[in-house]
Amino acid sequence: AQSVTQLGSHVSVSEGALVLLRCNYSSSVPPYLFWYVQYPNQGLQLLLKYTSAATLVKGINGFEAEFKKSETSFHLTKPSAHMSDAAEYFCAVSEGTSGTYKYIFGTGTRLKVLA
Amino acid sequence: DARVTQTPRHKVTEMGQEVTMRCQPILGHNTVFWYRQTMMQGLELLAYFRNRAPLDDSGMPKDRFSAEMPDATLATLKIQPSEPRDSAVYFCASGGHDSYEQYFGPGTRLTVT
């Protein structure tokens, strides 16, 4: 069975500081991993994805994530936070080889950016 | 700019009424997902379809919820009768052939009083 754990339901950073949002997964098969961002009153937007190619994945808006199999992690980072990054972020895992296309989502991390 | 569209964006109804939510997937996408988002439960997968056939609806309360794809450009989610505990934001997402990416619509915010 697959699962996703996002550590920290709320994270606050100062503008210009490093953003680190944590995601750990559990999967019995090679996973595909995703980060989505949700702004208030909007749907989820794909930030980046890992699908068994490069372990360091770059996404939109300056975000990137590194797949670490030994740590079963897929943490999201951004070197310098901007006020516009304030949103909720979701990590998701899909069974990459089963063809089901289903996601299991984490519970989300709300990012607050302080001026 | 291809997007998933959902109607209505907001719906307020009284307990016991039927509610129908509609989703137009991105043209050419063959997989459609329905999710429900609440503060307490987060994002829950209700059902999903591939090539218009239901593949998994185990997340859906069968007694009152139903999901269909009358054609490739329309997916519907019905609740009959609606209850206050159904108040949530309902998202539709679509995905293309051999793609694990899901593209989300803006959601339907349902309030049942």
Side-chain angles (χ1 to χ4, degrees), chain B residues 1-83:
Chain B
D1 184 18
R3 298 186 184 196
V4 176
T5 59
Q6 291 186 247
T7 56
R9 292 293 314 277
H10 302 273
K11 177 72 176 179
V12 179
T13 192
E14 292 182 348
M15 182 173 63
Q17 296 298 305
E18 177 178 301
V19 175
T20 298
M21 291 169 270
R22 294 177 174 80
C23 167
Q24 182 172 10
I26 291 173
L27 189 65
H29 280 189
N30 69 333
T31 310
V32 173
F33 303 82
W34 282 106
Y35 292 91
R36 177 170 62 186
Q37 185 178 39
T38 62
M39 290 292 293
M40 294 300 294
Q41 301 296 327
L43 275 162
E44 304 172 276
L45 177 66
L46 298 175
Y48 83 104
F49 293 75
R50 182 171 302 152
N51 298 322
R52 296 176 54 200
L55 287 193
D56 186 347
D57 61 1
S58 59
M60 212 162 60
K62 301 291 193 306
D63 56 338
R64 298 183 300 107
F65 284 61
S66 62
E68 296 180 342
M69 280 201 74
D71 62 59
T73 64
L74 177 64
T76 62
L77 180 66
K78 288 186 181 180
I79 308 175
Q80 169 63 22
S82 58
E83 298 181 1

Side-chain angles (χ1 to χ4, degrees), chain A residues 39-57:
Chain A
Y39 299 101
N41 300 314
Q42 294 186 27
L44 279 70
Q45 179 183 2
L46 180 65
L47 271 179
L48 49 78
K49 63 181 179 182
Y50 166 77
T51 55
S52 75
T55 57
L56 182 62
V57 180

Side-chain angles (χ1 to χ4, degrees), chain A residues 32 34 36 38 41-44 46 49 51 88 90 94-103 105, chain B residues 9 31 33 35 37 43 45 48 50 56 58 91 96-106 109:
Chain A
Y32 286 1
F34 306 83
Y36 281 81
Q38 185 179 29
N41 300 314
Q42 294 186 27
L44 279 70
L46 180 65
K49 63 181 179 182
T51 55
E88 189 153 22
F90 292 91
S94 179
E95 288 184 350
T97 56
S98 72
T100 64
Y101 298 81
K102 286 171 59 174
Y103 285 4
F105 277 98
Chain B
R9 292 293 314 277
T31 310
F33 303 82
Y35 292 91
Q37 185 178 39
L43 275 162
L45 177 66
Y48 83 104
R50 182 171 302 152
D56 186 347
S58 59
F91 288 105
H97 291 270
D98 299 322
S99 169
Y100 286 85
E101 297 174 23
Q102 295 184 22
Y103 295 86
F104 282 73
R109 183 176 296 275

